[in-house]
Amino acid sequence: DAGVTQSPTHLIKTRGQQVTLRCSPKSGHDTVSWYQQALGQGPQFIFQYYEEEERQRGNFPDRFSGHQFPNYSSELNVNALLLGDSALYLCASSLWRDLRVSGANVLTFGAGSRLTVL
Amino acid sequence: AQSVTQLDSQVPVFEEAPVELRCNYSSSVSVYLFWYVQYPNQGLQLLLKYLSGSTLVKGINGFEAEFNKSQTSFHLRKPSVHISDTAEYFCAVIRYGGSQGNLIFGKGTKLSVKP
């Protein structure tokens, strides 16, 4: 049973460029959340997708956008890259109904995509 | 708003010694609590969670944590650590009944187990 897979694992971009990161959720999961983990910090919530819609968003600028596809996979796009966007980007998947049942859904994380902006 | 404070950024300990990683949270409402572990160059793995019921929660790899509502703490403990426990540990909260998937993390504690 495959877990959460993310690609690419590492990438280097320059300031002003655009980047797209990809995520395939764990088999059976229908909800995808994205987190940014800067060096020496805990992960910070970017946004969450369910049924191809953004359901919740953290405190990130509009340069950060996303998409969810009918097969539940997801993309994170960042435009006009800044040096401060250098981080590990984590994708996490879960089941939307778990939230309805228990009041909290347990996230399964991928290994992340490490973005370096020069 | 909720926040999480992990009181120690680094904890060095010798193999087979006990360890406690401290976590305090701030919230005006009830929360669910989690501990995740991150091994080098890997993503986050769930160690244990507290949703309701017994305040002593047992997780994987011999770890356990105790929810203390009066002290707003959720400290992680292991009676005897191994070299393989060397990793970064994150405490996280979700507000009860909301913030679907919006975990709020602490800054992490790096556990270093020495032979």
Side-chain angles (χ1 to χ4, degrees), chain B residues 31-34 48-57 67 74:
Chain B
V31 296
Y32 297 117
L33 295 149
F34 303 79
L48 48 80
K49 62 183 183 290
Y50 173 78
L51 302 184
S52 65
S54 172
T55 57
L56 182 63
V57 180
F67 170 55
F74 191 54

Side-chain angles (χ1 to χ4, degrees), chain A residues 20-89:
Chain A
T20 297
L21 308 178
R22 296 176 177 82
C23 172
S24 292
K26 180 180 178 180
S27 177
H29 283 183
D30 56 11
T31 304
V32 173
S33 302
W34 287 91
Y35 286 78
Q36 180 195 64
Q37 186 179 9
L39 196 62
Q41 302 293 319
Q44 284 196 294
F45 175 72
I46 304 175
F47 42 54
Q48 180 191 62
Y49 279 83
Y50 170 66
E51 289 188 329
E52 302 179 49
E53 290 185 12
E54 183 181 292
R55 298 291 175 156
Q56 196 168 18
R57 189 179 183 94
N59 188 24
F60 279 80
D62 291 345
R63 297 187 297 109
F64 289 76
S65 63
H67 188 77
Q68 186 180 34
F69 300 94
N71 67 352
Y72 308 121
S73 67
S74 177
E75 287 182 351
L76 164 65
N77 300 291
V78 187
N79 294 321
L81 285 168
L82 304 173
L83 295 179
D85 295 330
S86 294
L88 179 67
Y89 288 86

Side-chain angles (χ1 to χ4, degrees), chain B residues 33-77:
Chain B
L33 295 149
F34 303 79
W35 274 99
Y36 282 85
V37 60
Q38 187 175 37
Y39 297 103
N41 300 315
Q42 294 188 29
L44 299 172
Q45 179 183 3
L46 179 67
L47 271 178
L48 48 80
K49 62 183 183 290
Y50 173 78
L51 302 184
S52 65
S54 172
T55 57
L56 182 63
V57 180
K58 293 191 183 297
I60 62 171
N61 301 339
F63 284 94
E64 63 180 32
E66 185 156 20
F67 170 55
N68 187 320
K69 188 174 182 179
S70 62
Q71 298 191 2
T72 61
S73 68
F74 191 54
H75 300 334
L76 180 70
R77 302 184 182 100

